[in-house]
Amino acid sequence: MPQYDPIAQKVYVNLQDKNIFAIIDPATDEVVGRYPVGRCEGNHGMTLDPEHHAPSSRAKGTTL
């Protein structure tokens, strides 16, 4: 499920098949950032800390 950062006004999306987070600017519908989740496979379930603009995900028993 995408997460909206109300402070940065960006949408964070967990792309499980690519093992990355993508950041979308909803004003332009453009991807403004892509961040790998490291050696993690099967990342799922995402939360967001808007104050720190920090997404977090779960993956095969690991928290990123």
Side-chain angles (χ1 to χ4, degrees):
M1 181 63 106
Q3 299 289 316
Y4 180 69
D5 180 340
I7 297 170
Q9 298 180 345
K10 301 291 186 270
V11 177
Y12 289 73
V13 181
N14 184 7
L15 300 174
Q16 297 171 323
D17 59 334
K18 299 188 185 297
N19 287 339
I20 64 171
F21 287 117
I23 302 173
I24 300 169
D25 181 343
T28 62
D29 286 335
E30 292 185 15
V31 176
V32 295
R34 291 179 181 88
Y35 299 93
V37 296
R39 299 177 302 198
C40 164
E41 291 182 16
N43 50 315
H44 63 279
M46 182 175 66
T47 60
L48 178 68
D49 176 358
E51 183 177 344
H52 299 100
H53 313 292
S56 175
S57 183
R58 305 272 309 157
K60 291 190 178 181
T62 320
T63 301
L64 303 175

